[in-house]
Amino acid sequence: MKILVCISHVPDTTSKINFTDDNTQFDTNGVQFVINPNDEFGLTRAMWFKEKQNASVDVVTVGGAEVEPTLRKALAIGADQAIRVDTPAVDGYAVAKELADVVKNGGYDLVIAGRESIDYNGGMVPGMVAAMTGSSFVNTCISLEIDGDTATATREIDGGKETVKASLPLVIGGQKGLVEESDLRIPNMRGIMMARKKPLDVKAPVGASTETSTVSFEKPAPKGEVTLVDADNLDKLIDLLHNEAKAI
Amino acid sequence: MSVLVYTESENGAFKKTAYEVASYAKGIADMLGTDVAAISFNATDAGELGTYGVSKLHNVKEAKLDKFNAGAYADAIAQAAKAEDAKVIVISSSADSKYLGSLLSVHLDAGYVSNVVALPSSADPFTVKRSVFTNKAFSNTQISTDRKLVGLSKNAYGLKENPTDCTVVDFAPSFNDDDFKVEVQSVDKATDKVTIADAEVVVSAGRGMKGPENWAMIEELADVLGAATACSKPVSDMGWRPHGEHVGQTGKPVASNLYIAIGISGAIQHLAGINSSKVKVVINTDPEAPFFKAADYGVVGDAFEVVPALIEKLKAFKAANA
Ligand SMILES: Cc1cc2nc3c(=O)[nH]c(=O)nc-3n(C[C@H](O)[C@H](O)[C@H](O)COP(=O)(O)OP(=O)(O)OC[C@H]3O[C@@H](n4cnc5c(N)ncnc54)[C@H](O)[C@@H]3O)c2cc1C
């Protein structure tokens, strides 16, 4: 089985979000970039398929040279080879188009992407790749088993979960649950050394057009002060919630 | 030409998101000088759609589609969009609608923007505001395609009445085998509980609760308020609560009217998931807990004393206001 894990290179979860150039560019100053958390769960699940079912695992990112440390980290965790599509990731559609091309040319049976990336949160790329490649698609996937060319997956739905069967080729939008948090892998010294020798293929983009563009960014209006209520005076809290906030 | 909206229903009845997206679509239709048409699957009647500005409902009656099916739903919505010659299609940002949204976008060659929080600031060029960086910022995004697909964030626009006569027509799209490539085997859903996604009120608790055995009072508080229960990430990582209750950047987003956080410190990753809740209340022993900076109301105190007292006071309040 050939697996492709789509890796999004995102600001780490503690990053302060700021903008430059008259609020048109994300300010990367001092920002640490990481593997998108949803993709990390997927990558670890892919490692499981590699070890238990002898799958091969490639990772791919659409982006400039600055994303390579993130790809190297995925290689250090155990991916066999990495692909970087050499173009900035400007909109979900264009990214999906580039990824779909990699999927078609690579003949992958399973594409694991994250439910969403934690920067733009669009949640569009996995489904678009599925539609563009004619693959089955399961979103918000929290467990995945493959037997021959059939997948059994569980996905999170509002208020519960649902188990589905789907034929390969399959694209999933994965998230926490695909593997336990405690099973997430941290690259060790040996992995890091080996990653240096693994192939990182830089591929020319197909040059997809975009469908959307950011005109400007804004930050939420600053919040007012908290109103503190004495623990011995909870009637006051109820009064505020009822009369001031109109929340109960 | 109309604005087409996909209105979610369950067991034949419309969900609140249906009225929300209808209200929003009406706002866009007014900007464009046109009407709102809706599409739904196995709705038993038009419900309140007319109240919220929908003048025509394309109802797909198909037993196979009783359970949500992203592939088939997307195919049908695309056909309805073409039948209506809709230039703007509006869906919710619920988990189901997000699932089908990306498929629909490709079927229609429609530029797609999800998590939209307001009416377009301009119809031409079509520009909408969406939340990004897990609610830490907004992006004003232009869609350049001829057809546009907008995913509206929950609770962002609210319900706006625009009484209209709504006619229901049967809509019979054609399906192909590919639409049914993903087959539902079983659904495991607690039907009697309010879900985090739909809840108006969410009662959430963190590591400050010390252990899963102390959740009875959290559930009781939620019961009194008709709320859903939620938790911080470590709580679900330790298995005190199910994964589906974990709120935050890597968990579920919450857009409730009221969010009560008990024994949660307010780490940036947790706050990211609750920024779009309207009113936030924090109960924490530590007056320096970062959550107090994000909250509207706060009680510095021990949850094991404050929560039981709050439950009693709320019960009395409910009884007096019944
Ligand atoms: C990549 C990544 C992603 C993450 N994503 C998320 C996410 O999506 N959601 C999330 O929640 N976290 C997330 N986190 C974790 C986050 O950083 C915090 O560790 C977590 O939110 C803390 O949970 P907590 O507030 O329950 O626990 P703690 O930080 O331990 O805080 C417990 C709080 O309870 C208070 N307390 C203790 N006893 C009492 C009492 N008797 N009564 C009242 N208050 C009391 C304490 O004062 C303290 O403020 C993520 C972390 C990383 C690295």
Side-chain angles (χ1 to χ4, degrees):
Chain A
M1 178 168 54
K2 272 192 93 175
I3 303 178
L4 181 69
V5 183
C6 305
I7 302 275
S8 182
H9 162 90
V10 298
D12 99 70
T13 56
T14 54
S15 303
K16 294 258 182 299
I17 304 301
N18 290 304
F19 304 101
T20 59
D21 295 0
D22 208 13
N23 286 323
T24 58
Q25 302 295 325
F26 173 60
D27 183 1
T28 54
N29 218 334
V31 170
Q32 174 95 24
F33 281 81
V34 295
I35 298 178
N36 182 44
N38 290 312
D39 308 347
E40 217 179 339
F41 291 105
L43 178 61
T44 306
R45 188 65 194 163
M47 288 302 112
W48 187 93
F49 286 117
K50 179 176 152 125
E51 283 150 22
K52 301 278 195 267
Q53 300 188 0
N54 213 13
S56 70
V57 178
D58 296 351
V59 291
V60 60
T61 300
V62 177
E66 70 283 359
V67 307
E68 289 197 357
T70 300
L71 281 175
R72 287 273 173 221
K73 187 174 169 201
L75 289 173
I77 287 172
D80 299 306
Q81 62 164 324
I83 303 162
R84 175 169 73 82
V85 181
D86 189 20
T87 185
V90 275
D91 104 308
Y93 174 81
V95 169
K97 263 260 154 70
E98 297 295 347
L99 293 175
D101 187 63
V102 172
V103 174
K104 281 182 198 151
N105 289 322
Y108 294 98
D109 308 292
L110 173 64
V111 177
I112 300 181
R115 168 193 80 187
E116 66 178 28
S117 61
I118 61 164
D119 49 5
Y120 293 100
N121 313 102
M124 320 179 176
V125 170
M128 287 181 171
V129 171
M132 289 168 182
T133 56
S135 310
S136 315
F137 175 48
V138 178
N139 207 10
T140 55
C141 190
I142 53 173
S143 97
L144 177 66
E145 306 280 348
I146 309 278
D147 184 6
D149 58 5
T150 310
T152 307
T154 307
R155 71 176 194 100
E156 192 171 279
I157 56 174
D158 287 346
K161 51 193 179 184
E162 178 179 273
T163 302
V164 301
K165 263 204 170 8
S167 54
L168 301 185
L170 167 72
V171 178
I172 66 156
Q175 62 181 61
K176 179 182 164 191
L178 265 181
V179 296
E180 289 303 319
E181 177 97 10
S182 51
D183 290 335
L184 286 179
R185 311 217 172 162
I186 300 158
N188 57 24
M189 214 42 208
R190 187 165 165 267
I192 294 167
M193 298 305 286
M194 279 170 65
R196 293 199 185 140
K197 298 198 193 103
K198 289 182 183 172
L200 196 162
D201 180 15
V202 179
K203 183 185 167 301
V206 291
S209 58
T210 58
E211 295 189 330
T212 62
S213 56
T214 288
V215 188
S216 63
F217 291 103
E218 280 174 39
K219 298 237 271 184
K223 238 200 62 52
E225 284 278 292
V226 59
T227 306
L228 287 180
V229 176
D230 204 276
D232 297 326
N233 191 7
L234 295 175
D235 286 323
K236 174 84 183 158
L237 178 64
I238 291 174
D239 177 61
L240 287 168
L241 288 177
H242 182 60
N243 291 315
E244 187 178 87
K246 314 245 180 275
I248 57 171
Chain B
M1 194 202 92
S2 55
V3 173
L4 181 75
V5 56
Y6 160 51
T7 45
E8 298 180 313
S9 61
E10 193 162 22
N11 301 323
F14 289 105
K15 294 192 188 180
K16 187 182 158 205
T17 56
Y19 302 130
E20 236 174 70
V21 287
S23 303
Y24 179 84
K26 174 68 176 159
I28 295 189
D30 287 348
M31 288 175 78
L32 301 176
T34 179
D35 297 329
V36 181
I39 171 168
S40 210
F41 298 87
N42 297 318
T44 41
D45 64 48
E48 305 278 309
L49 287 183
T51 313
Y52 297 103
V54 174
S55 49
K56 183 154 104 193
L57 170 65
H58 295 276
N59 191 26
V60 181
K61 282 198 261 179
E62 172 61 67
K64 271 197 292 193
L65 298 183
D66 253 354
K67 286 202 192 81
F68 174 80
N69 175 323
Y73 278 36
D75 194 0
I77 298 168
Q79 291 174 51
K82 286 177 185 160
E84 279 289 333
D85 189 24
K87 293 286 181 272
V88 180
I89 298 100
V90 179
I91 63 177
S92 163
S93 280
S94 69
D96 280 353
S97 287
K98 270 194 172 168
Y99 186 0
L100 66 80
S102 48
L103 303 176
L104 179 59
S105 151
V106 174
H107 286 324
L108 285 174
D109 293 320
Y112 175 28
V113 177
S114 57
N115 305 322
V116 168
V117 296
L119 280 179
S121 56
S122 140
D124 189 16
F126 195 88
T127 313
V128 279
K129 182 166 160 176
R130 66 173 163 141
S131 94
V132 290
F133 296 102
T134 328
N135 298 314
K136 287 186 250 177
F138 301 103
S139 154
N140 293 303
T141 305
Q142 245 176 48
I143 309 182
S144 53
T145 43
D146 183 35
R147 279 210 179 89
K148 284 114 185 143
L149 177 60
V150 178
L152 177 67
S153 271
K154 282 194 181 175
N155 271 345
Y157 187 73
L159 300 178
K160 305 240 180 333
E161 293 195 7
N162 267 301
T164 312
D165 281 335
C166 181
T167 45
V168 183
V169 294
D170 286 345
F171 185 65
S174 55
F175 294 104
N176 58 56
D177 289 350
D178 273 4
D179 292 336
F180 297 93
K181 273 196 296 209
V182 177
E183 198 186 317
V184 178
Q185 306 282 297
S186 63
V187 178
D188 174 7
K189 194 168 170 174
T191 43
D192 57 330
K193 283 216 169 153
V194 197
T195 67
I196 297 177
D198 292 329
E200 295 287 322
V201 182
V202 173
V203 175
S204 189
R207 197 143 56 177
M209 294 309 295
K210 315 277 192 273
E213 66 281 6
N214 296 324
W215 243 263
M217 62 177 173
I218 300 301
E219 289 188 329
E220 191 180 353
L221 178 59
D223 251 11
V224 177
L225 289 165
T229 53
C231 67
S232 67
K233 178 165 173 285
V235 164
S236 77
D237 286 346
M238 291 183 290
W240 296 359
R241 300 296 293 178
H243 283 315
E245 289 196 4
H246 152 205
V247 160
Q249 185 149 25
T250 50
K252 281 219 164 73
V254 173
S256 56
N257 276 333
L258 175 61
Y259 186 80
I260 305 183
I262 302 160
I264 299 180
S265 56
I268 190 165
Q269 299 95 345
H270 187 86
L271 296 180
I274 59 126
N275 275 343
S276 43
S277 277
K278 296 229 161 63
V279 180
K280 296 160 205 124
V281 177
V282 169
I283 301 169
N284 199 306
T285 40
D286 175 10
E288 302 297 322
F291 221 136
F292 284 112
K293 293 209 172 61
D296 300 287
Y297 303 101
V299 180
V300 178
D302 187 340
F304 294 89
E305 287 159 22
V306 175
V307 174
L310 186 59
I311 291 170
E312 291 318 310
K313 302 247 180 232
L314 277 168
K315 279 185 180 162
F317 167 81
K318 292 266 155 172
N321 287 273

